[in-house]
């Protein structure tokens, strides 16, 4: 029975989430049980695409990505895939009518990572951010609003801005790996070999504006999603706070992280904030 295969596929997406991001999987657990699996399904898909272009250095990345893209198209069209990650993703795409243009924009940005090393203009940078992060926020929002088109349109900007904030924090945190290991520069008009405090603070100011807009969206999210998204927001805000206090030279030479004991404290604080109806 296909239901057994679907169950196995869902477990694969859940395990991918737990294996690759303990922080994100913790936030997903704060979502209502009715929508958790669909967010696992989305994360599994975006993580696999990202891994192809970022980590499979000993293999033909372009060939693997093209095969993944073809399998993705077939999965959505046929509503089944022998790739369990794509099988679970197509289930969520079909269930919530996630637009193909969001998926295509994501794949376009991921494909850029195969060859593009530098983003010289704001337009290039914004297009990449839209495809790599904003549309992921919109895919999740489709799940959160469960078919409510008016609610989706109302919260669309906030979801995109929150996606942008998360991605830009990742860019700043992973500066060393992206620049040294992958020779990539995402921030336009910024010489990462000479990153100074002024440049760093300009980037942080931009991220803070995204967080502010994203927070307004969180306030109006359906109850099923609010706590989980707020938890992810608080975690990334903490990361940004640590990056803000870290000298630019140190950011270039190390990966900033939030220790586990601080994560647990943040999650506990989020829980009480939510229960007291402060958000």
């Amino acid at each position: 029975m296909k239901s057994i295969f679907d169950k196995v596929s869902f477990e694969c997406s859940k395990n991918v989430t737990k294996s690759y991001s303990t922080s994100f999987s913790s936030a997903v657990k704060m979502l209502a049980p009715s929508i958790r699996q669909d967010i696992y399904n989305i994360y599994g898909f975006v993580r696999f695409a990202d891994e192809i272009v970022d980590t499979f250095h000993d293999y033909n990345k372009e060939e693997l990505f093209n095969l993944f893209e073809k399998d993705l198209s077939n999965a959505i069209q046929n509503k089944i895939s022998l790739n369990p990650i794509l099988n679970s993703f197509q289930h969520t795409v079909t269930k919530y009518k996630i637009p193909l243009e969001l998926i295509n924009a994501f794949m376009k940005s991921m494909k850029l990572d195969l060859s593009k090393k530098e983003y010289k203009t704001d337009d290039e940078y914004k297009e990449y951010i839209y495809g790599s992060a904003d549309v992921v926020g919109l895919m999740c929002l489709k799940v959160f609003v469960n078919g409510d088109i008016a609610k989706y349109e109302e919260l669309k900007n906030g979801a995109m801005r929150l996606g942008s904030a998360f991605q830009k924090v990742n860019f700043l945190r992973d500066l060393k790996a992206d620049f040294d290991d992958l020779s990539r520069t995402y921030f336009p008009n910024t010489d990462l070999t000479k990153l100074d405090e002024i440049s760093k603070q300009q980037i942080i100011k931009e991220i803070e504006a995204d967080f502010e807009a994203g927070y307004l969206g969180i306030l109006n999210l359906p109850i099923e999603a609010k706590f989980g998204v707020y938890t992810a927001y608080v975690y990334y805000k903490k990361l940004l706070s640590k990056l803000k206090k870290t000298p630019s030279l140190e950011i270039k030479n190390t990966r900033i992280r939030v220790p586990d004991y601080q994560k647990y404290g943040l999650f506990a604080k989020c829980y009480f904030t939510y229960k007291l109806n402060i958000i």
Side-chain angles (χ1 to χ4, degrees):
M1 296 176 64
K2 185 173 181 292
S3 60
I4 297 176
F5 178 62
D6 286 341
K7 182 179 179 181
V8 171
S9 298
F10 296 160
E11 282 299 313
C12 285
S13 291
K14 182 177 179 179
N15 286 334
V16 166
T17 308
K18 292 171 64 177
S19 297
Y20 278 99
S21 179
T22 55
S23 301
F24 185 78
S25 62
S26 295
V28 175
K29 290 177 183 176
M30 311 300 180
L31 299 171
S34 60
I35 61 174
R36 282 178 201 161
Q37 185 61 59
D38 290 294
I39 302 305
Y40 287 137
N41 295 347
I42 292 172
Y43 182 89
F45 160 68
V46 300
R47 171 51 63 185
F48 265 34
D50 195 53
E51 287 303 302
I52 292 171
V53 300
D54 279 0
T55 65
F56 296 170
H57 306 309
D58 296 331
Y59 305 91
N60 187 325
K61 294 181 181 181
E62 186 173 359
E63 184 178 293
L64 288 173
F65 190 87
N66 289 339
L67 179 60
F68 185 74
E69 189 171 38
K70 182 179 179 181
D71 289 345
L72 167 66
S73 178
N74 289 334
I76 294 173
Q77 180 178 339
N78 300 327
K79 296 182 174 53
I80 189 173
S81 175
L82 294 182
N83 178 327
I85 297 301
L86 292 179
N87 186 60
S88 61
F89 180 62
Q90 68 78 24
H91 174 87
T92 297
V93 169
T94 302
K95 180 179 177 181
Y96 293 98
K97 296 180 173 61
I98 294 176
L100 285 178
E101 53 262 34
L102 299 183
I103 301 169
N104 292 337
F106 172 76
M107 294 297 283
K108 181 180 178 181
S109 284
M110 291 300 97
K111 188 174 286 189
L112 286 173
D113 279 339
L114 290 171
S115 57
K116 193 170 180 63
K117 301 299 183 182
E118 186 176 1
Y119 291 80
K120 297 181 179 180
T121 69
D122 286 335
D123 286 344
E124 287 182 339
Y125 173 61
K126 289 176 181 177
E127 183 180 13
Y128 179 85
I129 290 286
Y130 172 76
S132 66
D134 296 4
V135 298
V136 178
L138 294 178
M139 289 182 210
C140 293
L141 183 60
K142 278 289 183 181
V143 175
F144 298 156
V145 303
N146 193 22
D148 189 332
I149 297 175
K151 195 70 173 176
Y152 176 80
E153 291 298 326
E154 175 194 342
L155 299 176
K156 187 176 179 180
N157 181 66
M160 292 170 63
R161 295 292 293 275
L162 198 60
S164 290
F166 289 172
Q167 181 69 297
K168 292 170 187 175
V169 169
N170 285 336
F171 284 164
L172 200 55
R173 179 189 60 177
D174 297 334
L175 209 60
K176 176 178 173 57
D178 285 338
F179 189 67
D180 291 349
D181 301 339
L182 300 172
S183 301
R184 292 185 196 148
T185 302
Y186 289 108
F187 296 113
N189 305 314
T190 303
D191 184 354
L192 297 185
T193 63
K194 302 176 182 178
L195 181 68
D196 55 24
E197 284 301 309
I198 294 176
S199 298
K200 189 193 81 171
Q201 292 302 328
Q202 287 176 339
I203 293 170
I204 288 175
K205 185 177 180 180
E206 178 184 316
I207 298 172
E208 287 176 335
D210 285 332
F211 269 128
E212 185 175 345
Y215 179 73
L216 296 177
I218 292 173
L219 296 177
N220 294 304
L221 279 172
I223 193 69
E224 293 85 355
K226 184 181 287 187
F227 182 33
V229 178
Y230 177 69
T231 300
Y233 162 85
V234 169
Y235 169 72
Y236 270 90
K237 282 277 286 185
K238 181 63 176 180
L239 262 180
L240 183 63
S241 175
K242 292 178 72 70
L243 288 163
K244 193 172 184 177
K245 296 174 183 177
T246 303
S248 56
L249 183 61
E250 189 174 339
I251 288 178
K252 290 191 297 182
N253 294 322
T254 189
R255 189 177 192 267
I256 305 302
R257 60 183 298 273
V258 178
D260 286 345
Y261 76 91
Q262 289 187 2
K263 288 181 188 177
Y264 300 142
L266 287 175
F267 295 156
K269 184 177 180 181
C270 288
Y271 177 78
F272 287 112
T273 299
Y274 177 72
K275 283 297 183 181
L276 293 172
N277 292 317
I278 297 175
I279 61 165

